[in-house]
Amino acid sequence: MEKLNVLPWHEQALWLLGIFLGGLILGLAFYWIIKKILRVSHSELSKDLPRVKNPFVFVVIVLSLQLWPELYFESKTPFITQLSQIVNILAVTWLLIGMVKGIRDSIVRRYKQDVGSSLKLRKLFTQVRLFERIVIVIIVILAIALILMTFDSIRRVGVSILTSAGIAGVIIGLAAQRLIANLLAGFQLAITQPIRLGDVVIVEGEWGTIHEMTLTYVVVAIWDKRMLVVPSTYFIEKPFQNWTRKSGEMLGTVYLYVDYHLPLEPVRKELKRIVNDNPMWDGETANIQVTGSTEKAMEIRALIGADNANDAWNLRVHVREKLIEFLQKEFPEMLPKSRVTLEKDG
């Protein structure tokens, strides 16, 4: 049994508090010096440094506290040694996670300035976010493994588990089959990118945008503010519509049914006037075409362009409303009607 030195417990507590405060001050001082150096050198890293401030200071405090058992114990007890190892692992893990997030912010900010296309930026941001989560998961798993290895009893249990690894592997494999499939699908989505954050998609008949992507599931924000959670395997195994896969530009259509006697040229001019007054129009596509006919009316289609799916939807609604108002006012007799012809005998 290890014995404490002759110092009373309250003096040891004061020394421990002093070392803790000294480590805190030292960590903040180091952080401030590094930040000043980066700012003076105009380094972009100065903008990402706050990500690692707290874990960095914590690491310095932990290193400072390593002095306590050396000073006030005749030798380290097994408990103190193990506790010190666990705290060290947690401190380094926190620091590594902060560094990964700082690197992510640095990459996104740098390419945000260089890449003009929002499509390329969304593609990059999706990849960075997914790979960031992959790296963090690996770091956490390794940290948990290292912590468990500090327990001798668990080490011994591990040897016995390895002898039956074949049976355990089969059981775990069957139980985690769906989880593993989703994880692999998450990796595939990060690399091939059939979808990206911000893409407009139709999934299960629902129109929405990709709101969040993880390794196991994807969250689609539906237009009516609902959130549709879909497993990652869905986007690998099933067909879906991606309206912004190659470009954010969209074409919208408005169908109207009118009488055969309606002159089309005034309607074309009115469509031009409507879209010219609307900032959502892309300035290129706006025309009227006859796309169908029945025994009662002809079908005309207004084709309009917008920069993104949301603008295309709102522009379609606006154009439909204004064209109907135009027909009601200028050509009310050309709206669809049923005709009955009466003929006299003789």
Side-chain angles (χ1 to χ4, degrees):
M1 191 77 178
E2 303 292 346
K3 294 182 179 180
L4 288 171
N5 281 337
V6 293
L7 289 177
W9 68 267
H10 60 275
E11 290 189 22
Q12 295 217 21
L14 289 175
W15 273 103
L16 179 61
L17 179 61
I19 294 173
F20 174 84
L21 293 176
L24 177 62
I25 295 171
L26 189 62
L28 291 173
F30 279 151
Y31 174 81
W32 182 82
I33 292 171
I34 295 171
K35 189 174 182 180
K36 278 292 183 182
I37 293 173
L38 292 176
R39 281 186 175 178
V40 169
S41 60
H42 302 288
S43 174
E44 289 290 322
L45 293 176
S46 61
K47 298 178 181 178
D48 305 309
L49 202 59
R51 278 285 187 184
V52 297
K53 176 183 178 181
N54 291 335
F56 175 77
V57 173
F58 183 64
V59 168
V60 175
I61 293 174
V62 169
L63 292 176
S64 301
L65 290 175
Q66 304 301 310
L67 300 173
W68 177 54
E70 296 287 354
L71 291 175
Y72 298 107
F73 282 86
E74 292 179 355
S75 62
K76 289 185 178 179
T77 65
F79 173 76
I80 292 296
T81 301
Q82 184 180 9
L83 180 62
S84 175
Q85 291 173 348
I86 293 174
V87 173
N88 287 338
I89 293 170
L90 292 175
V92 173
T93 301
W94 190 13
L95 181 61
L96 289 175
I97 291 174
M99 291 173 64
V100 170
K101 292 183 177 181
I103 293 171
R104 177 204 67 191
D105 292 345
S106 178
I107 293 173
V108 172
R109 185 179 59 256
R110 184 177 304 171
Y111 279 86
K112 205 169 186 177
Q113 298 171 353
D114 299 339
V115 179
S117 170
S118 62
L119 190 67
K120 291 181 180 179
L121 184 62
R122 287 191 291 111
K123 179 179 179 180
L124 171 75
F125 190 61
T126 301
Q127 284 184 325
V128 170
R129 284 291 297 274
L130 285 174
F131 281 114
E132 171 210 354
R133 292 182 179 183
I134 291 170
V135 173
I136 289 177
V137 167
I138 293 173
I139 291 173
V140 171
I141 291 174
L142 290 176
I144 293 173
L146 290 173
I147 290 174
L148 292 177
M149 288 177 64
T150 62
F151 295 89
D152 293 332
S153 58
I154 294 179
R155 281 186 184 178
R156 288 193 294 270
V157 172
V159 174
S160 61
I161 290 176
L162 288 175
T163 59
S164 57
I167 299 175
V170 173
I171 296 173
I172 294 172
L174 292 174
Q177 184 178 5
R178 295 301 300 173
L179 175 62
I180 294 171
N182 277 308
L183 285 172
L184 293 176
F187 284 116
Q188 190 171 345
L189 289 179
I191 296 170
T192 60
Q193 291 204 331
I195 54 174
R196 295 172 296 267
L197 291 171
D199 272 352
V200 178
V201 296
I202 294 181
V203 180
E204 295 292 312
E206 299 283 2
W207 183 92
T209 57
I210 302 298
H211 177 71
E212 182 183 357
M213 294 177 65
T214 70
L215 293 180
T216 55
Y217 65 88
V218 177
V219 179
V220 181
I222 308 302
W223 64 272
D224 58 2
K225 297 186 178 182
R226 287 178 294 146
M227 293 293 179
L228 180 65
V229 181
V230 186
S232 299
T233 52
Y234 182 96
F235 296 96
I236 303 298
E237 300 172 353
K238 296 184 179 181
F240 62 94
Q241 295 184 39
N242 187 337
W243 288 11
T244 53
R245 179 72 180 89
K246 295 295 184 181
S247 171
E249 298 174 357
M250 293 290 299
L251 293 178
T253 55
V254 174
Y255 289 95
L256 296 174
Y257 297 89
V258 296
D259 191 82
Y260 281 97
H261 292 89
L262 175 70
L264 296 180
E265 197 56 35
V267 183
R268 289 191 175 99
K269 291 181 180 179
E270 179 63 15
L271 176 63
K272 288 285 187 181
R273 187 194 66 80
I274 293 171
V275 295
N276 278 327
D277 294 337
N278 196 308
M280 291 181 288
W281 183 46
D282 65 358
E284 297 179 3
T285 305
N287 58 58
I288 295 288
Q289 298 171 320
V290 178
T291 54
S293 61
T294 67
E295 70 278 5
K296 295 182 179 180
M298 67 175 177
E299 178 189 76
I300 63 174
R301 181 185 70 178
L303 189 64
I304 47 181
D307 291 332
N308 56 66
N310 286 330
D311 286 352
W313 172 266
N314 291 323
L315 187 59
R316 286 173 59 197
V317 173
H318 177 73
V319 167
R320 183 183 294 111
E321 178 184 331
K322 293 301 179 182
L323 284 179
I324 291 174
E325 287 181 0
F326 171 75
L327 293 175
Q328 289 173 339
K329 181 179 179 181
E330 301 295 333
F331 300 97
E333 71 281 2
M334 298 302 173
L335 294 173
K337 62 176 75 68
S338 297
R339 294 185 176 89
V340 177
T341 302
L342 301 176
E343 296 182 356
K344 287 184 179 181
D345 292 334

